Amino acid sequence: MLKISSVKAIQVFDSRGIPTISCKIVLENGISASAIVPSGASTGSKEAFELRDNDNNYHGKSVLNAVNNVNEKLSHLIIGKDPNDQQTIDELLISFDNTNDKSDIGANAILSVSLASAHIAAKANDIPLYQHFSKVYSDITGTNVEPSMPMPMFNILNGGEHADNNIDIQEFMIIPSNAENFAQAMQWGTEIYHSLKKILQSKKYSTAVGDEGGFAPSLKSNEEALKLIIHAIKDSNLEPGTDIHIALDCAASEFFDGKKYILEDGNKNLSSQEFADYLYDLTQKYPITSIEDGMHENDISGWKILTEKLGSKCQLVGDDLFVTNEKILRNGIDQKIANSILIKYNQVGTITETMQTINCAGENKFKSIISHRSGETEDTTISDLSVGLGIGQIKSGAPCRSDRVAKYNRLLWIEEESNNILLK
Ligand code: PGA
Ligand code: ZN
């Protein structure tokens, strides 16, 4: 049995220069491991609560109260416990906070301990983190999983909340569907990214990048973005619709006024039906196989229209819609909306709850996609989570900026060291 001897958190910084929490756990035998919590910008309203100080420091964004909650409160719960038992650790953390949304202690405080606990267990057992996650998943859900490499979704053009431009759709992603392995997917993704950069330069567009490393030029329309991506795919000697497919994250909650979808593109004010038709038309013209948050998280009738119209031909992903929450996902499944879920562990707050949501998705034939947040760090836990659970898909931004590329680089090492794990 392993035994935790100390739990210590400090305030560190994410890719936007905003404070976040890093937690280090030390075992009685002296081995230590740490993890860092990410943070979103276009957040769903039902996400677990991210505790920030809201005082005069760091524009209100510091997390020193959450750090103190780890050091003064959660550490006492966890010291002496065995990190092999992730579920017990997480249940102790969850029950210490009396609220449904973890707003007492802070989901960021709780998650930092949950993640560090998984890291220390893997390290002490001298196994890769992804193998540890496979074991934890079967302990928690009773379902055995085979590790496999995920298909990456590279966000190469940014709009919405992640960029200061006039594109409504937050993320335009490429999926190297025909790649034989992860390394080839990476090669295709980076080649297209650099082809796109050359095209933007030739058209005198900015090549400054948004929060997730994708370019954020001031384009005239959402369709212009799609045309540029098709151009970049062809310039890389790849075939759109065969080698490469396109995924969108509309993050539609950000441009819905309660009744209409307000698009800067052509100054359109669209009803849910009209916006569903708009997305449908895009899928007819371009090889789009995945659309995330195609409707506002509370526009359930809009989600029904979209799912009826596109659900059989397109992956419809709930991010702000489901916020990695099993209860909210079950509700959506009952209502027959969407067919896939984005998984971000800081939306719910622990590894255990994240795995329970993934299991619920699988049991209901929903696909899962492991995701970074727009505020990220050098932490690569999501790479191992995607492999260990055989999830099949990961989105971690552009193949640019170390906060994004760190996840892809970790996946390249996993593929190298376990060459029997195939791309799904
Ligand atoms: P967020 O963006 O991390 O700012 O929420 C990512 C996404 O919407 O998928
Ligand atoms: Zn999203």
Side-chain angles (χ1 to χ4, degrees):
M1 172 177 158
L2 306 172
K3 221 171 182 185
I4 292 173
S5 67
S6 90
V7 179
K8 165 91 181 153
I10 63 166
Q11 175 169 283
V12 296
F13 294 85
D14 73 15
S15 51
R16 283 191 277 248
I18 291 178
T20 186
I21 304 187
S22 177
C23 176
K24 182 186 274 187
I25 292 184
V26 185
L27 297 183
E28 271 189 344
N29 61 13
I31 296 179
S32 69
S34 61
I36 314 179
V37 172
S39 174
S42 63
T43 48
S45 67
K46 301 184 193 77
E47 292 192 18
F49 190 81
E50 184 180 69
L51 184 61
R52 296 209 176 264
D53 298 338
N54 291 321
D55 60 15
N56 293 330
N57 300 313
Y58 299 95
H59 297 263
K61 298 278 192 185
S62 55
V63 291
L64 296 174
N65 286 311
V67 165
N68 281 342
N69 285 344
V70 174
N71 294 337
E72 307 293 330
K73 296 174 180 166
L74 300 182
S75 63
H76 300 300
L77 285 180
I78 302 305
I79 287 171
K81 298 291 180 303
D82 182 352
N84 280 314
D85 191 352
Q86 181 81 43
Q87 188 163 8
T88 299
I89 300 248
D90 288 342
E91 280 168 0
L92 281 169
L93 297 170
I94 294 163
S95 59
F96 189 78
D97 183 295
N98 286 319
T99 64
N100 280 333
D101 62 354
K102 302 186 175 65
S103 52
D104 183 14
I105 298 297
N108 42 352
I110 289 172
L111 181 65
S112 74
V113 179
S114 183
L115 294 178
S117 177
H119 277 268
I120 192 67
K123 195 165 173 188
N125 292 317
D126 198 20
I127 56 170
L129 183 60
Y130 72 85
Q131 268 177 28
H132 176 67
F133 277 141
S134 298
K135 190 181 156 301
V136 170
Y137 187 75
S138 78
D139 287 350
I140 289 174
T141 66
T143 310
N144 289 328
V145 275
E146 285 296 321
S148 68
M149 295 301 295
M151 175 60 69
M153 301 165 108
F154 297 108
N155 172 12
I156 59 172
L157 261 178
N158 285 191
E161 283 292 293
H162 291 172
D164 297 322
N165 61 17
N166 46 2
I167 309 178
D168 307 291
I169 294 175
Q170 178 178 282
E171 300 171 24
F172 295 80
M173 293 168 275
I174 46 169
I175 312 170
S177 339
N178 222 10
E180 275 175 20
N181 50 37
F182 189 80
Q184 187 170 51
M186 205 60 215
Q187 181 179 349
W188 289 0
T190 52
E191 286 176 356
I192 294 167
Y193 183 80
H194 289 108
S195 295
L196 181 59
K197 184 169 188 175
K198 282 189 190 147
I199 295 167
L200 293 172
Q201 281 166 336
S202 74
K203 293 182 182 296
K204 305 269 182 286
Y205 280 131
S206 161
T207 53
V209 299
D211 287 352
E212 298 186 351
F215 300 112
S218 284
L219 304 180
K220 290 170 210 69
S221 66
N222 297 316
E223 266 203 83
E224 186 182 10
L226 287 162
K227 287 192 178 121
L228 289 169
I229 289 172
I230 297 290
H231 187 169
I233 296 169
K234 289 184 176 159
D235 276 5
S236 308
N237 297 320
L238 292 161
E239 197 52 52
T242 315
D243 297 319
I244 309 288
H245 290 91
I246 294 176
L248 305 178
D249 180 4
C250 299
S253 294
E254 305 295 329
F255 52 85
F256 184 64
D257 73 352
K259 284 197 175 115
K260 298 269 185 177
Y261 291 88
I262 315 289
L263 301 188
E264 288 190 30
D265 178 353
N267 285 326
K268 296 184 188 82
N269 286 4
L270 303 181
S271 67
S272 306
Q273 178 69 56
E274 287 164 342
F275 190 52
D277 292 343
Y278 173 82
L279 292 175
Y280 181 83
D281 288 345
L282 291 181
T283 65
Q284 294 296 97
K285 287 194 195 160
Y286 304 94
I288 296 168
T289 51
S290 181
I291 300 176
E292 182 181 329
D293 282 347
M295 292 282 157
H296 183 281
E297 60 180 85
N298 293 330
D299 183 13
I300 301 303
S301 56
W303 268 103
K304 284 187 180 157
I305 295 168
L306 184 68
T307 308
E308 273 164 32
K309 194 154 183 115
L310 265 168
S312 60
K313 65 174 290 216
C314 196
Q315 176 167 269
L316 298 177
V317 187
D319 169 15
D320 294 346
L321 178 67
F322 297 136
V323 292
T324 314
N325 183 308
E326 183 182 354
K327 210 166 136 214
I328 298 174
L329 172 63
R330 281 191 192 282
N331 199 9
I333 291 167
D334 288 345
Q335 302 200 67
K336 298 194 168 34
I337 54 173
N339 55 30
S340 309
I341 179 171
L342 202 74
I343 300 292
K344 295 166 164 169
Y345 41 48
N346 79 323
Q347 287 181 325
V348 65
T350 61
I351 297 266
T352 297
E353 289 159 291
T354 302
M355 289 186 174
Q356 286 165 339
T357 303
I358 292 168
N359 191 51
C360 169
E363 282 176 353
N364 289 282
K365 310 254 172 309
F366 266 50
K367 292 200 180 124
S368 293
I369 303 162
I370 297 281
S371 173
H372 65 159
R373 297 307 305 245
S374 50
E376 268 294 339
T377 67
E378 65 273 29
D379 186 289
T380 60
T381 312
I382 60 167
S383 307
D384 286 78
L385 193 63
S386 71
V387 175
L389 274 52
I391 288 279
Q393 300 176 79
I394 188 169
K395 67 172 222 183
S396 178
C400 170
R401 303 284 151 183
S402 288
D403 38 305
R404 312 298 142 187
V405 171
K407 280 64 166 179
Y408 299 131
N409 287 345
R410 168 69 186 144
L411 286 164
L412 287 166
W413 269 113
I414 295 176
E415 181 162 84
E416 176 66 28
E417 291 181 341
S418 57
N419 49 19
N420 54 343
I421 299 184
L422 297 171
L423 191 70
K424 263 210 166 172

